Amino acid sequence: MYWSRPLIETIAVDLPGREYEVRIGPGLLADAGTHIAPFLNRPKVTVITDSTVAAEHLEALGAGLSAQGIAMTALELPPGEATKSWAALEQCCSWLLDQEVERRDIVVALGGGVIGDLAGFAAAILRRGVRFVQMPTSLLAQVDSSVGGKTGINVGQGKNLIGAFHQPALVLADTEVLGTLAPRDFLAGYGEVVKYGLLGDAAFFDWLEEQGPALAAGDMSARIAAVRRSVEMKAEIVMRDETEQGDRALLNLGHTFCHALETATGYSDRLLHGEGVAIGCALAFELSARLGLCAQEDPSRVRAHLKAMGMKTDLRDIEGDLPSAEALLALMGQDKKVMDGKLHFVLARGIGQAFVTSDVSADTVLGLLDDALCDR
Ligand code: GLY
């Protein structure tokens, strides 16, 4: 029979003893039972999700599982970053124990980055570790947070400060669900996609410049290709450096600026994480150009693409007041990428050529931020 749907793409994350696949394509939610059944010791799964995602996708997942005779129970948490908390972690663990989840069972994380990080962390500590399947429903989660095993919660002292590396047993990235995202959320996730081109694959960035508009408009082949290349790049980096002793820090391109801006805007609707990453990437390239590391044209090209996509690009695109350059620099100093009191930046020698350095003077960063703020 002729199968008209695009094929499911598979990326292997070959971490010895913890290897898994990321499967990417449309229809994975409806086919979840087929994909998950081989991992089960008994035909039931527990699902952790949020109420927004549940309203859109939980029924479809339940149908996909029951088609293979798999029963499902689900815990629906409130949507939003506040759910990555001690209280929600306790709720997840208690609920999973009440569901009599055993070590050989599978917990499914159905949602964006918040749910993936929280459910993954609950799975990491429940009974000293149960297996879990990531079913990321946001573009950001599909290209970044569902792959690589970082799990955790936020605490008063900062974001993601309590957590564990716990690799999933399988990642199912259903590209059809991206069609249910609000355009702003989709574009925020696209900030992380652009990041991959900028950090390590100039040809991918060229391709995004061409295909980005079609991809945002809903072109499924372009969406699959973009998620596939992003996941492939992330998997390569995670396989080289699972616990971020070196190369994995490249994935933080744009993030030192982003975290300062997110803190300054109170992690609110004023700036979504992926929007901060996009602005942060533009600033990282501007900084690289000022330091003579890359051509002057490179930051202009980065900004031109972000603008063409209708994304936040500059500090002026953030509504409301921002603190002074000095205050933003101080916020960068609180980032967890500070080591031995030095700020670590991911800079670039060109598009696709990022590297990590601590060799940046505070004065240069201050000058950059001053100019960016004056432009507002
Ligand atoms: N999101 C960055 C990482 O997974 O290392």
Side-chain angles (χ1 to χ4, degrees), residues 15-43:
L15 291 165
R18 296 175 309 294
E19 41 285 283
Y20 58 97
E21 287 184 355
V22 183
R23 298 179 193 159
I24 301 157
L28 286 170
L29 211 62
D31 258 358
T34 316
H35 290 271
I36 293 176
F39 293 84
L40 299 179
N41 287 295
R42 51 180 176 163

Side-chain angles (χ1 to χ4, degrees), residues 74-99:
L75 174 65
E76 291 179 33
L77 296 164
E81 192 70 30
T83 292
K84 261 176 74 171
S85 65
W86 283 117
L89 178 69
E90 185 180 4
Q91 192 183 350
C92 287
C93 292
S94 300
W95 179 77
L96 290 169
L97 291 172
D98 289 345
Q99 302 304 306

Side-chain angles (χ1 to χ4, degrees), residues 49-86:
T49 188
D50 71 39
S51 49
T52 308
V53 172
E56 294 273 6
H57 305 300
L58 194 58
E59 204 179 311
L61 175 60
L65 291 167
S66 86
Q68 298 300 318
I70 302 166
M72 169 189 100
T73 50
L75 174 65
E76 291 179 33
L77 296 164
E81 192 70 30
T83 292
K84 261 176 74 171
S85 65
W86 283 117

Side-chain angles (χ1 to χ4, degrees), residues 3-10 23-26 28 175 224 228:
W3 186 247
S4 60
R5 281 196 134 155
L7 285 177
I8 301 296
E9 299 271 1
T10 299
R23 298 179 193 159
I24 301 157
L28 286 170
T175 45
I224 296 170
R228 188 195 62 77

Side-chain angles (χ1 to χ4, degrees), residues 78 81 117 285 347 353:
E81 192 70 30
D117 285 7
F285 268 81
L347 298 179
Q353 298 172 56

Side-chain angles (χ1 to χ4, degrees), residues 144 150 234 244 248 251:
D144 183 30
K150 280 189 180 175
K234 176 141 191 190
E244 201 166 317
R248 188 162 179 167
L251 296 171

